[in-house]
Amino acid sequence: MTASDTTVSRPGGTSATGTAPPARTRRGRHAALLIGLAGVLLLVCLAAAGTGQVQISPAEVLGSVLHRLGLPVGPLPEAAQGENALWVVRFPRVTLAVIVGASLGCAGALMQGTFGNPLAEPGVIGVSSGAAVGAAVTIVTGVSALGGWTIATAAFLTGLLTTFAVYAMSRSDGRTEVVTLVLTGVAVNAIAGAVLGLVMFFGDADAVRAIAFWQLGSLAQATWGSVLVTLPCAVLGIGAALTAAGRLDLLALGERPAHHLGVPVERLRLLMIGTTALLAASAVAFTGVISFVGLVVPHLIRLVAGPGHRTLIPASALGGAIIVVAADLAARTLIDYQELPLGVLTAVVGGPCFFWLLRRARSRAGGWA
């Protein structure tokens, strides 16, 4: 045996050559990615909270938060309405943007992992279209049993019901085929689109404008009440997704290998579909349809972190939050005294981005397969 055939171990786990084991290097890189995304999210939130008709510096934003937490550190807003602007208008909006973006990003990663399909996103299983129908019917009929919460509640419930209707109709002989579920979702989305068109046809001008505004997506109606409703749904959904991350990695090997490795494939799919429905329905209930976040963000994360769901899920949640907060900031500041539709803005940016990803995949690997 020659000296080149041996390596000397060191206390830190590196060899005499000074190279770290690939697994440790990979874990360090993934941890750095998550920390970096969290830092970017914090900076974007500070910028979003301080930008508006009443300008507040990031130091004043952070100082206001610390003072509310009982820590008299940092400056308070100098503007007369600074505190009210932060705590009544901007913080609820930024917080809801974080929750919605994290929910949609996580839901997209779950859908793509569960179906093994890079084109999968929450809208495929009817969440968005079902929620849109529920909101539209409520607007046209004028039902207000729950006051200001009526539309959001109707959107949330119909989004969940549509998702489980798609799942029930795609089952056969006690199992669900991915292709059948996706095609069923396409058919249900088409039916929901037709119903939505009929509802708008029979509605008056005010109702049509309200439905169109809801479909375009906006965070203008954000309140602390909507935050308190969506936050538990996001925490529960992302927690369930993280718990299933290891099994999703095994499912990526294929249904049969995953089953032989002890993964209850059908039960896992049902759980992940329910989790996706919870995340997406709670998100769109208060904001309307925000497109392309759940589709594009997981692909962008995979370029850096790879396909492992233990990193992909939290990174997609952080990435989705960054995208929605930044897009909402642009939507309300690009044009003076006007607010662009948030869903339109994310589609304008997300569409070309997804096209670039498609071209990249085709040039490097011959396609998505």
Side-chain angles (χ1 to χ4, degrees), residues 165-172 175-177 180-182 184:
V166 168
Y167 179 78
M169 288 187 290
S170 62
R171 284 180 62 84
S172 178
R175 61 188 301 269
T176 305
E177 293 183 354
T180 303
L181 190 143
V182 172
T184 304

Side-chain angles (χ1 to χ4, degrees), residues 1 11 49 54 81 133 149 163 202 217 250 267 292 302 313 326 349:
M1 182 181 294
V54 179
Q81 298 298 322
V133 169
W149 295 81
T163 299
F202 287 109
L250 296 177
R267 190 188 312 164
F292 275 97
R302 284 192 191 92
I313 288 173
V349 177

Side-chain angles (χ1 to χ4, degrees), residues 1-8 16:
M1 182 181 294
T2 64
S4 61
D5 294 325
T6 62
T7 58
V8 179

Side-chain angles (χ1 to χ4, degrees), residues 42 45-47 49-50 56-78 82-83 86-87 91:
L42 177 60
C45 288
L46 289 175
I56 304 171
S57 70
E60 292 173 341
V61 173
L62 189 57
S64 179
V65 173
L66 293 175
H67 277 75
R68 288 293 180 106
L69 295 175
L71 301 173
V73 179
L76 290 172
E78 294 181 359
E83 283 287 293
L86 283 177
W87 292 96
F91 280 152

Side-chain angles (χ1 to χ4, degrees), residues 22 38 52 99 171 299 361:
I99 295 170
R171 284 180 62 84
H299 286 299

Side-chain angles (χ1 to χ4, degrees), residues 172-201:
S172 178
D173 298 326
R175 61 188 301 269
T176 305
E177 293 183 354
V178 172
V179 174
T180 303
L181 190 143
V182 172
L183 293 177
T184 304
V186 170
V188 170
N189 282 331
I191 295 171
V195 173
L196 186 62
L198 286 174
V199 171
M200 295 179 70
F201 177 79

